[in-house]
């Protein structure tokens, strides 16, 4: 009886050790996050490949597209998002008096207008950048290739030639309406 108990405990311990090793191996080595320059380079390469550009045009496109993305990133900045989140958090603070004076309400309204004006200014800068680079892109790309750039900018995970409701491998859109 004791030998059976020792054998079963040993088997359980070995099985547990095996499962723990399997979990550790699945995680693998930690991957480094690619830098912003690497991500921009990959995106430019992917776009050039999707548009089937020749080598000379692809090189010119990559260079111009990297400049374009850099200017757009600089125009977007990161401050606008943080400011709006901080404003939401301030409004949710506990212990705030129930009564707010008219002056505080006017200040809050004016603050909202200022934030909206900043967003409009930022959007205008981005529009100006889009228009500037449109003139650059159309010097060496066809109009269809240029529109592909802007379509991919709006929907980064979706190819422009694929319909949004198309399903891979012919799967039906709704499983409840399958033919039985």
């Amino acid at each position: 009886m004791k030998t059976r108990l020792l054998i079963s405990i040993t088997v359980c311990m070995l099985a547990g050790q095996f499962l723990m090793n399997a979990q550790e191996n699945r995680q693998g080595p930690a991957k480094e996050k690619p830098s912003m320059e690497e991500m921009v380079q990959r995106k430019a390469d992917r776009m050039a490949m999707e548009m089937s550009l020749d080598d000379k045009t692809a090189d010119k496109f990559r260079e111009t597209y990297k400049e374009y993305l850099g200017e757009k990133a600089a125009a977007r900045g990161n401050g606008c998002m943080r400011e709006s989140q901080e404003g939401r958090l301030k409004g949710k603070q506990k212990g705030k008096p129930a009564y707010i004076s008219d002056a505080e309400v006017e200040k809050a309204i004016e603050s909202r207008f200022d934030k909206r004006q900043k967003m409009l200014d930022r959007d205008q800068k981005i529009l100006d950048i889009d228009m500037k680079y449109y003139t650059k892109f159309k010097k060496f790309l066809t109009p269809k290739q240029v529109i592909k750039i802007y379509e991919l900018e709006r929907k980064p995970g979706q190819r422009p030639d694929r319909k949004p409701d198309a399903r891979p491998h012919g799967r039906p859109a709704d499983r409840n309406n399958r033919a039985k």
Side-chain angles (χ1 to χ4, degrees), residues 27-36 38-39 42:
Q27 292 173 355
K31 294 182 180 178
E32 289 185 28
K33 189 175 180 181
S35 69
M36 191 58 131
E38 289 174 344
M39 291 189 326
R42 287 180 191 166

Side-chain angles (χ1 to χ4, degrees), residues 13-148:
M13 289 177 68
L14 288 173
Q17 184 65 31
F18 176 74
L19 290 173
M20 286 176 53
N21 282 339
Q23 289 290 328
E24 289 175 10
N25 291 340
R26 190 180 312 164
Q27 292 173 355
K31 294 182 180 178
E32 289 185 28
K33 189 175 180 181
S35 69
M36 191 58 131
E37 293 82 19
E38 289 174 344
M39 291 189 326
V40 168
Q41 179 66 40
R42 287 180 191 166
K43 189 172 184 178
D45 291 341
R46 187 183 74 243
M47 295 275 287
M49 186 180 69
E50 282 192 24
M51 289 191 286
S52 303
L53 301 175
D54 60 24
D55 292 339
K56 183 180 175 186
T57 309
D59 290 340
K60 193 169 188 175
F61 169 76
R62 284 185 193 104
E63 181 182 322
T64 308
Y65 190 67
K66 285 191 254 182
E67 291 172 12
Y68 168 71
L69 290 179
E71 281 191 41
K72 278 185 81 165
R76 281 189 192 117
N78 293 329
C80 295
M81 223 26 198
R82 289 187 192 136
E83 289 174 11
S84 64
Q85 289 172 351
E86 288 172 5
R88 287 184 199 139
L89 293 176
K90 286 179 185 175
K92 293 182 180 180
Q93 289 176 350
K94 292 183 179 179
K96 201 172 187 180
Y99 177 77
I100 299 174
S101 69
D102 288 344
E104 290 175 329
V105 171
E106 286 180 13
K107 186 178 178 182
I109 291 171
E110 289 173 2
S111 174
R112 284 185 182 181
F113 289 149
D114 289 340
K115 287 179 185 176
R116 287 175 58 191
Q117 185 62 49
K118 286 179 185 177
M119 289 173 60
L120 285 172
D121 292 343
R122 186 196 70 206
D123 289 346
Q124 183 62 47
K125 286 179 187 176
I126 291 171
L127 177 63
D128 292 341
I129 291 168
D130 283 344
M131 291 170 61
K132 172 184 165 184
Y133 279 91
Y134 167 69
T135 58
K136 288 185 177 185
F137 286 135
K138 75 178 186 179
K139 290 179 183 175
F140 57 90
L141 295 175
T142 66
K144 288 181 181 178
Q145 290 171 329
V146 174
I147 196 68
K148 207 176 230 188

